Amino acid sequence: MTCEPGVITEQLQQFADEQGLFYPVDFASSGSSQLGGNVATNAGGIKVIRYGLTRSWVVGMKVITGEGKLLELNKGLTKNATGYDFRHLFIGSEGTLGVIVELTLALCSKPKDPTVLLLGLDSMSASMSVLQVFQDRLTLTAFEFFSDKAMTHVIAEKGLKRPFSGSSDFYALIEFEQVAAQDLETALELFEHCLEQGWISDGTISQSTTQAQHLWRLREDISETISRFSTYKNDISVKISQVPAFLSQVDKLVAAAYPDFEIIWFGHIGDGNVHLNILKPEHWSIAEFHQTCSQVSERVFELLQQFGGSVSAEHGVGLIKKPFLHYARSAEEIAYMKSLKRIFDPNNVLNPGKLIDC
Ligand SMILES: Cc1cc2nc3c(=O)[nH]c(=O)nc-3n(C[C@H](O)[C@H](O)[C@H](O)COP(=O)(O)OP(=O)(O)OC[C@H]3O[C@@H](n4cnc5c(N)ncnc54)[C@H](O)[C@@H]3O)c2cc1C
C-alpha cells in the first residue's frame, strides 16, 4: 500500500480491512497519529508480540534529506541485498535526518477469530509464567498488563463495569487467534492450570467481538484517562527473560522513592516493555513534580543500564529523554549518530535539538 505520510493510522487499518487485509500496527492513538509519525518513531503498540514494530511493515519510502535531496529507499522490494539499507536508518530517526514524503507499507491477512482473556494476576512476576504457558500452546496476538489502580481510574472515568467480581493487584490481557478448532478449549485448560499454580485468582474470556472490545478498553483507555493528572511517564524495556527480576527491583526502588505518589503500571509486558506512570499529587506544582520524578528516573535508568535495557522502548527520545540517552546507547554510538546527522542534515534544519545535540 503506497500512501502519503499524513494518512491517519486508523484510516490505513480501515482501508486494509475493506480489502480483506490487515495492517497490524495498532495502539490507543491510532485514531489521531499519522503514518509518518509512526515510522519516524518506529511505533510499537499492542500487537508487537505477533507482528513486530512499524519497522517490519515498511517496504519502501521516499524521503527528502536536510540537504534537499530526494531518496527513494528499497522501492517496495522484499529482497534487496545492495549494501546499506538506508530505509532502516530513517525509521525511528524522529525526523532528524529527512522528511518522509511517501511510504509503501506491507499488509497481511486478517487474524482468525481473535479472542480475549483477562486474568487477575497474583503478582507482576506471575505474568511471565502465564505468558510462557500461553505462548507455548496458542498463537498470541497480544499480551498486555495493567495494575488495578490503572483499571480503577479507567472504570471511574469511562463508566465501565469491572470485568469480574474479585480484584487483583495486576491483570494480564491476552489476545489469541483461533487458528485450530481446539484453541478455545486449550485456552480454558491453560486458565485452569494458571489457577492451580496460584499465578492467577480469577479471569474472564470474551464470547463475542463486543465483549473483546470491552475488555480491550480497560487497557486502551488508560493513557487518555490518566493524562489529566499531568502524568510523568516512563516507557522502558528490558529483555523479556529479565522482566520478572527487573520489575521486582524497580518496584522496590519506586515504592521507596515515591511513598506518597500514585504509581500506575501498564504496558506491553510480552515485549519486555512497561510504562511506569506517576500521577502528580494535586498540591504539587508541575515544576517541583517533574524535578523529583526526573531524579528518581535517573535511578530507574541506572538500574536499566545494569540490565542492558532501554530508556525509551517505543515512544522515542525527543527532548525529554535526550539527557538520558547515554543510559541506553554508548558514547561511540551517540558520536556516530551525530556524524550521520551531519551527513544527511549538514545545516541542522531538521528537528534541531531533538534526540541528539549536534
Ligand atoms: C493514547 C496514546 C497511546 C499510545 N500508545 C502507543 C503505543 O502503544 N505504542 C507506541 O509505539 N506508541 C504509542 N503512542 C505514541 C505513538 O507512537 C505516537 O502517537 C505515534 O506513533 C506518533 O505519530 P504522530 O502522528 O502522533 O507523530 P508526531 O508526534 O506528530 O511526531 C512524532 C515524531 O515523528 C516526526 N515526524 C512526523 N511526521 C514525519 C515525517 N513525515 N517525516 C519525518 N518525520 C516525521 C516528528 O517530527 C516527531 O519527531 C501512544 C500515544 C498516545 C497519545
Side-chain angles (χ1 to χ4, degrees):
M1 159 77 196
T2 297
C3 60
E4 292 186 3
V7 170
I8 304 289
T9 316
E10 195 174 77
Q11 286 177 329
L12 175 62
Q13 292 166 345
Q14 282 165 0
F15 177 80
D17 189 58
E18 284 156 22
Q19 317 304 311
L21 292 167
F22 189 56
Y23 180 63
V25 180
D26 193 17
F27 30 72
S29 61
S30 292
S32 58
S33 76
Q34 299 177 348
L35 295 173
N38 298 168
V39 173
T41 56
N42 188 24
I46 54 182
K47 304 271 161 83
V48 170
I49 193 169
R50 169 79 191 280
Y51 297 101
L53 296 132
T54 299
R55 183 184 299 284
S56 313
W57 300 91
V58 181
V59 289
M61 64 202 286
K62 288 184 187 169
V63 294
I64 309 278
T65 67
E67 283 188 300
K69 290 184 178 160
L70 173 67
L71 302 180
E72 200 176 342
L73 305 174
N74 200 56
K75 301 173 186 162
L77 298 171
T78 302
K79 288 189 166 183
N80 182 7
T82 51
Y84 308 135
D85 191 339
F86 291 135
R87 167 185 47 157
H88 289 296
L89 198 54
F90 283 86
I91 299 169
S93 66
E94 301 185 26
T96 58
L97 302 178
V99 178
I100 301 160
V101 292
E102 187 184 278
L103 282 165
T104 303
L105 299 164
L107 304 176
C108 63
S109 49
K110 290 183 189 184
K112 274 190 186 168
D113 301 323
T115 305
V116 175
L117 277 149
L118 189 80
L119 308 177
L121 294 165
D122 283 0
S123 64
M124 275 204 277
S125 51
S127 63
M128 286 294 113
S129 311
V130 175
L131 171 65
Q132 204 168 4
V133 293
F134 272 87
Q135 209 163 24
D136 277 353
R137 303 219 11 227
L138 291 169
T139 305
L140 301 192
T141 43
F143 191 96
E144 301 281 306
F145 103 121
F146 47 87
S147 63
D148 191 54
K149 284 183 181 163
M151 188 169 83
T152 304
H153 277 290
V154 171
I155 286 172
E157 178 81 13
K158 304 286 178 185
L160 302 175
K161 283 194 188 138
R162 287 191 85 82
F164 36 81
S165 52
S167 69
S168 301
D169 285 346
F170 300 97
Y171 300 88
L173 185 151
I174 306 172
E175 188 186 80
F176 64 96
E177 194 180 344
Q178 290 198 45
V179 180
Q182 70 276 17
D183 281 353
L184 196 55
E185 209 176 298
T186 305
L188 297 174
E189 247 177 61
L190 292 170
F191 174 72
E192 292 293 332
H193 175 71
C194 292
L195 274 174
E196 279 161 23
Q197 295 297 317
W199 298 330
I200 63 169
S201 50
D202 209 342
T204 185
I205 187 163
S206 66
Q207 308 285 331
S208 65
T209 309
T210 312
Q211 277 183 7
Q213 284 166 348
H214 179 84
L215 293 174
W216 262 118
R217 283 198 63 192
L218 298 171
R219 163 66 186 87
E220 284 283 77
D221 288 359
I222 299 173
S223 288
E224 193 191 305
T225 298
I226 62 173
S227 61
R228 67 186 175 89
F229 294 95
S230 306
T231 316
Y232 188 89
K233 299 175 178 190
N234 273 301
D235 162 45
I236 50 187
S237 67
V238 291
K239 278 185 211 141
I240 299 167
S241 59
Q242 293 184 324
V243 168
F246 176 71
L247 284 184
S248 113
Q249 288 200 39
V250 91
D251 207 24
K252 276 185 210 143
L253 190 158
V254 166
Y258 302 114
D260 305 327
F261 288 177
E262 186 174 350
I263 311 292
I264 303 285
W265 283 100
F266 65 95
H268 318 291
I269 202 161
D271 313 326
N273 174 192
V274 288
H275 298 315
L276 163 65
N277 294 270
I278 303 143
L279 308 191
K280 185 181 84 60
E282 255 175 56
H283 56 284
W284 281 54
S285 73
I286 290 194
E288 184 188 12
F289 175 63
H290 274 231
Q291 204 199 353
T292 309
C293 290
S294 166
Q295 283 162 7
V296 184
S297 281
E298 297 240 27
R299 293 177 55 201
V300 173
F301 295 155
E302 278 163 15
L303 189 63
L304 262 176
Q305 197 172 33
Q306 289 162 24
F307 276 83
S310 177
V311 297
S312 177
E314 58 177 10
H315 291 169
V317 174
L319 293 170
I320 293 174
K321 290 287 170 67
K322 188 172 65 171
F324 308 114
L325 187 60
H326 65 96
Y327 284 107
R329 307 296 293 260
S330 68
E332 291 77 12
E333 283 182 291
I334 294 172
Y336 276 123
M337 283 192 201
K338 292 181 180 181
S339 304
L340 284 167
K341 166 83 171 157
R342 285 192 282 267
I343 291 171
F344 288 102
D345 181 24
N347 299 319
N348 197 22
V349 293
L350 296 175
N351 271 351
K354 302 267 175 70
L355 177 61
I356 44 168
D357 284 319
C358 262

